[in-house]
Amino acid sequence: DVLNAIDRRYAPYAYTATVTRRVSGDAAIAAAVLKARSHDGSMGPPAGPYTSAGTPGAFRPLISMPNTSIALSGLAALPYWENVRPFVMQSSSQFRSDAPYGTTDLEAAIKSPAYLADYAEVKALGGMVSQRTPDQTQIGRFWIESSSQGWNRVARTILDTRQQTAWRTARLLGQMHLAIADSYISVFESKYFYNFWRPVTAIRLGNMDPATPPEPSDATWNVSSLNLPSLGPTPPVPEWPSAHAMAGAAAAEVIKANVPGTTAFTMETTTDPNGPRGFQSVDEAVIENNSSRVYVGFHFRSATTEGERVGRLLGRYVAEHGLQPARGR
């Protein structure tokens, strides 16, 4: 919007005037964006009360320490976030995910072969004590920082290697943030629509059916993220689908739409001290981003696959509908 106020090349988001004198562009546009997003539904508390159905497959408020009971009531994060006014989407349910393992019957979902395979995988690879390879552990650490932080770094790293005008750069970053913001609104709508449980709950309860899981329950199992300094337990929201995977895929689609051709890059993160990782494309980064949530124990594999699928749809929608070129430009 700052650049468009000087020379209108793309549809603005909030500031529609043009600059005719020396002003602080940042201050004028910040005021316009704050006004545009006032009363958008995002000012609620960070967490709200949540009572679980208590049935197999149903999300329960989460606990972080071993040898504690699984709570049926407590606090869950941002239960109202699906009601935040979207930035580009038409509604928060526009990109609602498919049901977990193909059914809204959660007790049936946790008996499906796909779920049982996911259960065994995350139990083996996502715990504090696990069968992960050193590379899988690094992938988990590398991508655990917030999606906004990580995918900003991806975009900036790629932009540093490509000749882009200031307007094209600003538009890419603007579209990407619109896509990430809408992905969180969308994913919270899906999460609280399906209310599927997290791996830590399922594994500690032995799927609530000792005859069903491929391995017995483990009351002491906890996510591998607790091995990492300053990083906490599973996010206190329902599992399906993965917000991390959805935001990453949405960001990737915007980057691909704005920077065609080869997008090989190498980058570091704030959460992994083991040096940079290299990627041949943003799609390769998306795959690692998805797998990381299994390796830190936060998600079943299928939740990341579904998050990626819906995120790609949303990212393409934002690329086609948000901040479009001005007429004649």
Side-chain angles (χ1 to χ4, degrees):
D1 278 4
V2 172
L3 293 171
N4 276 326
I6 300 169
D7 181 5
R8 179 70 53 80
R9 300 189 184 184
Y10 297 101
Y13 175 72
Y15 189 81
T16 59
T18 56
V19 172
T20 58
R21 58 186 176 84
R22 291 180 63 87
V23 297
S24 168
D26 289 346
I29 274 62
V33 171
L34 287 172
K35 181 179 179 181
R37 296 304 301 182
S38 63
H39 308 295
D40 67 355
S42 65
M43 296 303 291
Y50 184 98
T51 300
S52 172
T55 52
F59 171 69
R60 300 182 181 208
L62 300 164
I63 35 76
S64 60
M65 300 304 294
N67 301 315
T68 56
S69 61
I70 304 290
L72 289 175
S73 63
L75 295 176
L78 304 176
Y80 61 89
W81 205 253
E82 65 182 271
N83 298 317
V84 174
R85 173 161 42 90
F87 287 78
V88 181
M89 295 186 301
Q90 297 177 5
S91 72
S92 63
S93 62
Q94 182 178 354
F95 294 96
R96 179 184 292 166
S97 70
D98 291 342
Y101 302 94
T103 177
T104 56
D105 181 343
L106 301 186
E107 293 192 51
I110 66 172
K111 295 179 181 179
S112 68
Y115 169 82
L116 293 177
D118 287 350
Y119 178 101
E121 180 189 33
V122 72
K123 184 177 181 182
L125 300 181
M128 296 181 73
V129 178
S130 82
Q131 303 169 22
R132 286 186 308 278
T133 66
D135 190 57
Q136 288 171 336
T137 297
Q138 185 184 4
I139 289 171
R141 294 187 66 149
F142 188 90
W143 289 103
I144 201 170
E145 66 180 354
S146 76
S147 292
S148 294
Q149 189 174 9
W151 286 92
N152 262 280
R153 187 174 292 107
V154 172
R156 292 198 307 272
T157 301
I158 291 172
L159 286 167
D160 282 346
T161 67
R162 304 291 288 266
Q163 294 295 321
Q164 298 277 40
T165 66
W167 276 261
R168 288 175 61 87
T169 295
R171 189 220 187 192
L172 185 158
L173 295 174
Q175 278 195 331
M176 188 180 72
H177 277 280
L178 294 174
I180 291 174
D182 270 359
S183 76
Y184 278 101
I185 296 170
S186 176
V187 81
F188 272 78
E189 194 278 335
S190 291
K191 283 179 178 293
Y192 285 104
F193 184 82
Y194 295 116
N195 292 289
F196 196 57
W197 66 9
R198 289 281 191 165
V200 65
T201 304
I203 293 169
R204 290 189 182 185
L205 292 177
N207 229 32
M208 295 182 75
D209 180 1
T212 299
E215 302 176 44
S217 63
D218 183 349
T220 66
W221 190 93
N222 218 329
V223 294
S224 71
S225 63
L226 292 175
N227 287 327
L228 309 179
S230 77
L231 296 174
T234 302
V237 294
E239 202 261 351
W240 189 275
S242 165
H244 204 72
M246 187 171 177
E253 289 300 310
V254 169
I255 294 171
K256 288 162 58 179
N258 283 274
V259 186
T262 303
T263 52
F265 64 97
T266 299
M267 74 172 197
E268 298 181 349
T269 72
T270 61
T271 51
D272 180 31
N274 296 310
R277 293 184 70 84
F279 305 93
Q280 293 303 307
S281 66
V282 289
D283 285 331
E284 184 179 332
V286 165
I287 293 170
E288 270 206 8
N289 184 59
N290 294 350
S291 294
S292 73
R293 296 320 245 189
V294 178
Y295 301 149
V296 297
F298 288 177
H299 279 294
F300 298 109
R301 173 76 61 179
S302 295
T304 71
T305 302
E306 179 63 4
E308 177 192 340
R309 183 188 72 83
V310 183
R312 288 192 186 277
L313 294 175
L314 190 155
R316 292 169 195 158
Y317 182 86
V318 171
E320 294 170 0
H321 293 85
L323 311 180
Q324 294 304 293
R327 184 174 299 177
R329 300 306 295 262

